[in-house]
């Protein structure tokens, strides 16, 4: 993965390479192509090779490692893991954020909220009524069973004492709760107690049905919520293995059901079924539950299902339809033989099996509709508002129903309160898509809600127009999205807008979207770690994304931009000095500084201060979070552009020229003094320029400045032997005596002041007359 900043720096490096070739050709031309000119050309290429910032990659990669370390050490976003070392500054350039809903914006913790039986609806405040119905019906069952043990369902004969309607509601509740308690893939798990390990048998008995010790395990939290609810109203799942299930009634009796067949949930069928046989009565029942889309065609005709599903979805509840069908022994045997036959077929096995199961799924008795709520995560609203204020456009891609998705979009403030919402009508043909797009085009500044199938049609015929319109929306909600669609949408945005995208999700179904985006963020949630392991950054809660982008994204981008340009400046300034030196001395291709000085220049003398730019910050973290609007400036990419690069090139040429000409004007007797004066002034200029670039000082920066200065002074004093005493050669510091004289000091100071003071004055004037947006806030 290559970040946008790296691509921009690559462009600038190419420009520098062209400058290097051009400069060398100019030098050879001015020399007059004398002698073996091509040899001179290569010598110039080598002399000016410092223009190419080779140390840039090293500095940047070390900087990125430092940013990653800072993100992971930030106490305000604990548990954050940086799994990439190449793109931390992408976090500062995002324009589109594509987020999943379940487990990302919501907690993925389901709470049973509503049971609807068609004529009567129960909410959280009336659950105790259900409980009393269940207790009554099971106490009747057992009083009958003690007389004759034939039937385990409540007697349907209307008793003289109770009115008929009351009885039927009670039996319907009983049937519905029993169906919910049986139709699932949940397993109760018991932790073995530590204290009673001595008597194994007793320990097993002890752990078996104690309620505090039981936990439920299932592939989806919805199922656990349903089983926990049946426990709360009195019908408890106490045991399950491959062939049977045991339920405990409110009276403490155990009912056993044999599992004959199970049809697991798939994303195509959107439903699951189970066939069970009651041990006591031998009755065979086929239970089924699933999404209303799948179930509405399977259950018998009714006039309330569709309307109630809509009502629950508008409250933000996830709905499930539960139905049953009683089978006789002959019907079941017939089904079983056909089913086994289908499972053995070699060709089109899946189709044949599905066809056999579908033969059962007809005219089923609708028992109830359940509503389960998934609550929003902490601080989702303020985080989404902050991201919106930062100019980030948020798209929610979810597999949920249109109404549920719309409801969550409103409650999470993804769509602001007073904003219009355009719900894209389902379209199936090109003409419908055209009409609907025109209707949408006429609306201004409204959020878009669209389902996955309508999206497919629009992208098939009107891809460009659709993306263009959708990108103008402040928020987009795509519901009923498949994982491949999510990834497709990310790629579309990248292709059409060229802007940086970020995808955030928590489950395996979000992995494709996370990997397709420029920057992927995974949340460690209930659905495991697939998303967080596949992502570039892993966080524990959605609210952490605000700080990750506003603070760390901003700092990483600003620092890398400053560091990159400074490293280029460092190479340009010394190449300018070489060019001036060569042109003064009749275009001789002779190096100005000997090897050791050149090595020391890019490493020990300037490395620490330049690298200390990774600690710089223009805005305090509190400010960046308080004014997310500051983030908008970053997406324009103004910290590193050809304009800022040209300014740095001009600075380098000016300073290199001043340093070299100054040294040549001021030296008197020994040419060696030119080297000593110019190199010392060069090091001082670099240190002062770092100080000029820094916006907020950190104690390590001050240490780095003085450490570098100390290293240089020490090397002047101690490394005389290395520079060749007694041999008059270029780059040799011949006498310590000269370095300690006042003349040396005033000459170096004068040159340094001329090279840096104008820049300090210009910076002061610029800050006074056109201050950057952040300085207006901090002043």
């Amino acid at each position: 993965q290559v970040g946008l900043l790296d691509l921009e720096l690559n462009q600038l490096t190419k420009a520098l390479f062209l400058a290097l070739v051009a400069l060398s050709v100019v030098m050879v031309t001015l020399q007059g192509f004398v002698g073996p000119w091509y040899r001179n050309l290569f010598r110039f290429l080598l002399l000016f090779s410092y223009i190419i910032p080779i140390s840039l990659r090293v500095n940047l990669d070390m900087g990125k490692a430092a940013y990653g370390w800072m993100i992971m050490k930030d106490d305000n976003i604990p548990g954050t893991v940086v799994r990439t070392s190449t793109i931390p500054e992408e976090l500062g350039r995002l324009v589109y954020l594509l987020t999943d809903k379940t487990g990302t914006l919501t907690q993925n913790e389901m709470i049973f909220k509503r049971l609807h039986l068609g004529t009567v609806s129960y909410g959280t405040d009336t659950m105790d009524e259900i409980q009393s119905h269940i207790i009554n019906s099971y106490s009747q069952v057992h009083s009958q069973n003690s007389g004759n043990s034939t039937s385990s369902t409540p007697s349907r004969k209307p008793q003289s004492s109770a009115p008929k309607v009351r009885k039927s509601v009670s039996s319907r509740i009983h049937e519905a709760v029993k169906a919910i308690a049986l139709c699932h893939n949940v397993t109760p798990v018991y932790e073995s107690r530590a204290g009673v390990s001595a008597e194994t048998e007793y320990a097993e008995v002890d752990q078996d049905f104690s309620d505090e010790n039981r936990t439920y395990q299932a592939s989806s939290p919805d199922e656990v919520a349903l089983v926990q609810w049946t426990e709360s109203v009195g019908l408890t799942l106490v045991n399950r293995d491959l062939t049977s299930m045991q339920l405990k009634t409110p009276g403490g009796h155990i009912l056993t059901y044999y599992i004959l067949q199970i049809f697991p949930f798939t994303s195509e069928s959107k439903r699951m079924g189970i066939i069970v046989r009651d041990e006591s009565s031998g009755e065979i029942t086929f239970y089924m539950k699933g999404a209303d889309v799948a179930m509405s065609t399977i259950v018998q005709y009714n006039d309330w299902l569709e309307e109630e599903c809509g009502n629950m979805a508008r409250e933000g509840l996830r709905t499930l339809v539960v139905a049953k069908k009683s089978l006789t022994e002959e019907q079941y045997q017939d089904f079983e033989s056909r089913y086994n036959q289908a499972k053995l077929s070699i060709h089109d096995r899946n189709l044949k099996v599905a066809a056999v199961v579908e033969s059962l799924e007809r005219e089923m008795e609708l028992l109830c509709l359940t509503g389960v709520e998934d609550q929003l995560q902490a601080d989702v609203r303020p985080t989404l508002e902050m991201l919106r204020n930062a100019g980030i456009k948020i798209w929610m891609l979810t597999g949920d129903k249109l109404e549920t998705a719309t409801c969550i979009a409103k409650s999470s403030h993804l769509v602001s309160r007073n904003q219009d919402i355009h719900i894209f009508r389902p379209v199936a043909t090109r003409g419908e898509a055209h009409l609907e797009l025109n209707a949408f085009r006429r609306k201004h500044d409204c959020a878009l809600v669209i389902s996955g199938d309508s999206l497919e049609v629009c992208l098939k015929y009107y891809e460009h127009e659709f993306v263009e319109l959708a990108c103008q929306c402040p928020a987009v909600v795509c519901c009923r999205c498949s994982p491949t669609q999510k990834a497709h949408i990310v790629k579309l945005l990248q292709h059409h807008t060229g802007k940086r995208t970020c995808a955030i999700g928590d489950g395996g179904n979000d992995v494709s979207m996370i990997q397709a985006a420029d920057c992927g963020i995974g949340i460690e949630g209930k659905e495991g770690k697939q998303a967080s392991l596949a992502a570039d950054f892993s966080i524990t809660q959605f609210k952490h994304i605000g700080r990750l982008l506003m603070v760390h994204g901003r700092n990483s981008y600003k620092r890398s931009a400053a560091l990159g340009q400074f490293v280029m400046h460092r190479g340009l300034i010394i190449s300018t000095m070489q060019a001036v030196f060569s042109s003064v001395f009749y275009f001789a291709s002779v190096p100005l500084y000997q090897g050791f000085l050149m090595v020391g220049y890019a490493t020990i003398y300037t490395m620490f201060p330049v690298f200390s730019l990774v600690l710089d910050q223009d805005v305090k973290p509190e400010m960046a979070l308080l004014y997310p609007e500051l983030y908008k400036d970053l997406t324009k990419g103004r910290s590193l552009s050809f304009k800022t690069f040209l300014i740095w090139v001009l600075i380098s040429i000016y300073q290199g020229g001043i340093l070299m000409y100054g040294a040549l004007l001021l030296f008197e007797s020994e040419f060696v003094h030119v080297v000593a004066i110019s190199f010392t002034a060069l090091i001082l200029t670099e240190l002062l320029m770092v100080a000029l670039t820094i916006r907020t000082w950190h104690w390590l920066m001050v240490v780095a400045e003085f450490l570098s200065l100390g290293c240089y002074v020490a090397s002047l004093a101690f490394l005389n032997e290395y520079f060749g005493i007694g041999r008059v050669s270029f780059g040799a510091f011949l006498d310590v005596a000269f370095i300690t004289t006042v003349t040396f000091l005033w000459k170096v100071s004068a040159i340094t002041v001329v090279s840096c003071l104008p820049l300090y004055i210009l910076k002061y004037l610029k800050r006074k007359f056109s201050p950057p947006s952040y300085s207006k806030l901090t002043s």
Side-chain angles (χ1 to χ4, degrees):
Q1 236 167 330
V2 181
L4 187 56
L5 186 99
D6 293 332
L7 296 173
E8 290 168 343
L9 284 170
N10 286 350
Q11 297 298 333
L12 300 182
T13 310
K14 287 171 192 165
L16 288 173
F17 175 73
L18 293 175
L20 163 69
V21 175
L23 186 60
S24 306
V25 170
V26 166
M27 281 296 189
V28 173
T29 312
L30 291 172
Q31 216 179 25
F33 292 106
V34 283
W37 61 268
Y38 48 86
R39 191 186 299 163
N40 288 341
L41 177 70
F42 276 104
R43 289 185 70 166
F44 278 122
L45 281 171
L46 287 172
L47 284 180
F48 297 139
S49 65
Y50 274 85
I51 289 180
I52 304 287
I54 295 171
S55 59
L56 178 61
R57 276 262 59 95
V58 180
N59 276 305
L60 270 184
D61 288 347
M62 281 166 58
K64 289 172 182 191
Y67 310 142
W69 185 82
M70 287 173 199
I71 293 172
M72 292 205 266
K73 282 281 170 279
D74 188 342
D75 295 333
N76 294 300
I77 46 172
T80 304
V81 183
V82 179
R83 300 191 192 278
T84 174
S85 58
T86 50
I87 55 166
E89 53 286 299
E90 288 286 271
L91 292 170
R93 310 285 296 277
L94 302 175
V95 181
Y96 291 98
L97 177 74
L98 299 103
T99 168
D100 175 41
K101 181 183 79 70
T102 310
T104 305
L105 297 179
T106 61
Q107 296 174 8
N108 209 2
E109 279 184 13
M110 308 297 172
I111 298 156
F112 192 94
K113 284 281 182 184
R114 184 146 304 172
L115 179 74
H116 205 291
L117 300 164
T119 50
V120 54
S121 169
Y122 293 94
T124 35
D125 42 356
T126 49
M127 292 297 177
D128 47 347
E129 282 185 38
I130 297 181
Q131 194 169 4
S132 59
H133 281 304
I134 294 291
I135 291 169
N136 286 341
S137 61
Y138 274 107
S139 60
Q140 283 176 352
V141 171
H142 290 294
S143 62
Q144 285 170 7
N145 278 7
S146 54
N148 62 341
S149 56
T150 52
S151 158
S152 91
T153 51
S155 162
R156 294 288 165 90
K157 294 182 198 118
Q159 277 131 354
S160 53
S161 58
K164 185 172 183 181
V165 181
R166 189 79 190 133
K167 182 63 202 145
S168 83
V169 167
S170 185
S171 72
R172 279 166 62 196
I173 288 174
H174 173 237
E175 276 298 330
V177 173
K178 188 165 78 173
I180 295 169
L182 288 171
C183 184
H184 53 68
N185 244 324
V186 181
T187 311
V189 181
Y190 300 92
E191 298 295 320
S192 53
R193 300 254 179 99
V196 264
S197 53
E199 301 173 45
T200 330
E201 285 177 39
Y202 173 66
E204 281 189 6
V205 172
D206 178 65
Q207 79 179 23
D208 214 351
F209 299 124
S210 62
D211 288 343
E212 315 76 63
N213 199 24
R214 184 188 310 110
T215 53
Y216 295 113
Q217 286 187 356
S219 56
S220 108
D222 301 52
E223 292 212 301
V224 177
L226 293 172
V227 175
Q228 279 171 341
W229 174 77
T230 63
E231 179 182 354
S232 73
V233 295
L235 199 57
T236 311
L237 174 70
V238 287
N239 203 352
R240 176 176 188 144
D241 52 37
L242 290 174
T243 55
S244 67
M245 256 188 275
Q246 288 176 322
L247 301 181
K248 187 166 77 172
T249 65
H253 297 278
I254 302 290
L255 308 174
T256 304
Y257 292 89
Y258 297 118
I259 301 171
L260 303 178
Q261 298 289 351
I262 194 155
F263 313 112
F265 180 91
T266 65
S267 51
E268 287 80 43
S269 70
K270 295 189 172 60
R271 57 188 182 266
M272 74 143 307
I274 189 167
I275 302 179
V276 293
R277 176 187 273 135
D278 185 338
E279 182 197 38
S280 55
S281 68
E283 285 182 5
I284 298 175
T285 318
F286 173 35
Y287 289 109
M288 190 153 214
K289 71 170 183 209
D292 54 310
V293 194
M295 298 291 289
S296 55
T297 52
I298 292 171
V299 297
Q300 292 166 348
Y301 172 77
N302 63 300
D303 53 7
W304 58 271
L305 182 62
E306 195 177 332
E307 185 187 345
E308 285 307 324
C309 280
N311 291 342
M312 283 194 192
R314 277 187 282 279
E315 291 177 42
L317 301 179
R318 297 158 70 102
T319 53
L320 272 178
V321 181
V322 184
K324 76 163 207 177
K325 187 178 193 177
S326 297
L327 302 176
T328 62
E329 190 68 44
E330 296 75 43
Q331 282 174 321
Y332 177 68
Q333 292 303 340
D334 169 52
F335 164 77
E336 192 179 33
S337 61
R338 285 186 296 132
Y339 187 63
N340 290 338
Q341 198 65 44
K343 285 205 288 193
L344 293 173
S345 60
I346 295 166
H347 302 294
D348 303 332
R349 181 184 310 156
N350 290 354
L351 287 173
K352 287 180 182 169
V353 169
V356 174
V357 176
E358 266 171 33
S359 68
L360 267 192
E361 297 171 353
R362 287 192 192 138
E363 289 294 298
M364 294 186 73
E365 181 189 335
L366 172 59
L367 295 176
C368 65
L369 175 65
T370 64
V372 172
E373 184 186 39
D374 187 4
Q375 290 176 315
L376 286 177
Q377 279 194 26
D379 292 338
V380 160
R381 288 174 192 148
T383 305
L384 285 173
E385 275 177 18
M386 178 201 290
L387 295 172
R388 239 200 348 262
N389 292 339
I392 296 174
K393 292 186 175 163
I394 304 164
W395 289 41
M396 182 166 90
L397 313 178
T398 173
D400 266 8
K401 278 222 295 298
L402 190 132
E403 291 86 354
T404 316
T406 313
C407 175
I408 295 287
K410 284 179 186 165
S411 62
S412 65
H413 294 190
L414 170 72
V415 177
S416 51
R417 284 250 168 83
N418 46 9
Q419 201 158 48
D420 292 339
I421 296 182
H422 177 82
I423 294 180
F424 209 88
R425 282 208 321 268
V427 294
T429 62
R430 183 173 186 160
E432 287 175 13
H434 183 69
L435 287 171
E436 194 57 25
L437 273 174
N438 282 347
F440 177 45
R441 189 178 274 117
R442 286 194 286 274
K443 296 193 180 178
H444 290 290
D445 191 46
C446 72
L448 170 68
V449 180
I450 185 169
S451 68
D453 4 354
S454 304
L455 186 71
E456 282 293 302
V457 177
C458 290
L459 294 179
K460 188 173 172 187
Y461 300 113
Y462 299 107
E463 183 179 298
H464 189 74
E465 294 87 335
F466 176 78
V467 177
E468 203 174 316
L469 284 173
C471 287
Q472 291 164 7
C473 293
V476 178
V477 177
C478 301
C479 48
R480 292 282 184 221
C481 263
S482 66
T484 36
Q485 265 181 326
K486 290 182 178 184
H488 184 53
I489 293 168
V490 173
K491 292 192 181 111
L492 265 180
L493 280 177
Q494 290 169 334
H495 175 65
H496 277 275
T497 63
K499 300 279 197 290
R500 303 320 263 179
T501 57
C502 170
I504 175 166
D506 73 314
N509 60 340
D510 304 313
V511 169
S512 53
M513 154 172 97
I514 285 172
Q515 289 181 329
D518 296 302
C519 172
I521 300 178
I523 294 183
E524 284 185 26
K526 296 267 184 312
E527 294 187 35
K529 289 195 170 184
Q530 293 139 302
S532 84
L533 289 171
D536 304 310
F537 302 90
S538 160
I539 56 180
T540 52
Q541 281 177 302
F542 184 80
K543 65 177 179 182
H544 292 167
I545 195 174
R547 190 176 177 88
L548 194 65
L549 303 190
M550 301 301 126
V551 177
H552 293 289
R554 176 187 191 83
N555 287 345
S556 303
Y557 170 55
K558 287 265 187 180
R559 290 163 175 173
S560 284
L563 186 66
Q565 296 181 102
F566 208 92
V567 172
M568 289 178 176
H569 156 81
R570 189 169 69 181
L572 275 167
I573 191 171
I574 203 159
S575 299
T576 309
M577 292 172 75
Q578 176 69 53
V580 172
F581 173 75
S582 287
S583 45
V584 168
F585 287 94
Y586 313 106
F587 307 104
S589 47
V590 174
L592 167 59
Y593 300 128
Q594 290 303 312
F596 189 86
L597 288 186
M598 291 307 286
V599 171
Y601 171 65
T603 53
I604 196 158
Y605 299 149
T606 60
M607 169 71 197
F608 300 113
V610 170
F611 189 67
S612 74
L613 287 172
V614 303
L615 298 167
D616 188 22
Q617 56 181 33
D618 55 351
V619 183
K620 286 195 167 65
E622 299 72 45
M623 271 302 183
L625 290 167
L626 190 59
Y627 298 104
E629 291 78 3
L630 288 171
Y631 189 87
K632 284 182 190 169
D633 288 351
L634 304 183
T635 52
K636 295 171 186 160
R638 288 181 181 161
S639 300
L640 176 73
S641 60
F642 266 102
K643 181 185 163 189
T644 56
F645 171 65
L646 285 173
I647 292 171
W648 275 104
V649 170
L650 293 174
I651 290 174
S652 310
I653 293 172
Y654 165 76
Q655 289 186 327
I658 292 288
L659 292 172
M660 202 60 237
Y661 276 118
L664 290 170
L665 284 175
L666 295 178
F667 92 103
E668 288 143 8
S669 49
E670 303 271 357
F671 169 69
V672 159
H673 295 170
V674 171
V675 174
I677 293 170
S678 65
F679 196 75
T680 308
L682 172 66
I683 297 292
L684 287 175
T685 299
E686 279 294 303
L687 297 183
L688 286 170
M689 283 303 288
V690 170
L692 180 70
T693 310
I694 286 169
R695 288 164 287 221
T696 311
W697 282 88
H698 186 285
W699 64 271
L700 279 170
M701 296 173 171
V702 184
V703 170
E705 292 268 344
F706 284 109
L707 183 70
S708 295
L709 194 58
C711 285
Y712 181 65
V713 172
S715 65
L716 277 184
F718 297 120
L719 293 179
N720 268 303
E721 305 101 66
Y722 286 99
F723 295 114
I725 278 206
R727 274 202 331 268
V728 176
S729 64
F730 289 133
F733 295 150
L734 276 183
D735 44 356
V736 183
F738 172 66
I739 292 165
T740 50
T741 57
V742 179
T743 23
F744 174 74
L745 291 176
W746 81 254
K747 286 176 180 177
V748 167
S749 308
I751 295 172
T752 310
V753 165
V754 175
S755 79
C756 288
L757 192 63
L759 295 171
Y760 270 84
I761 294 168
L762 282 172
K763 182 179 180 182
Y764 172 75
L765 292 173
K766 182 171 183 285
R767 282 199 76 125
K768 196 165 175 60
F769 294 114
S770 82
S773 49
Y774 61 83
S775 63
K776 296 173 192 167
L777 295 173
T778 45
S779 57

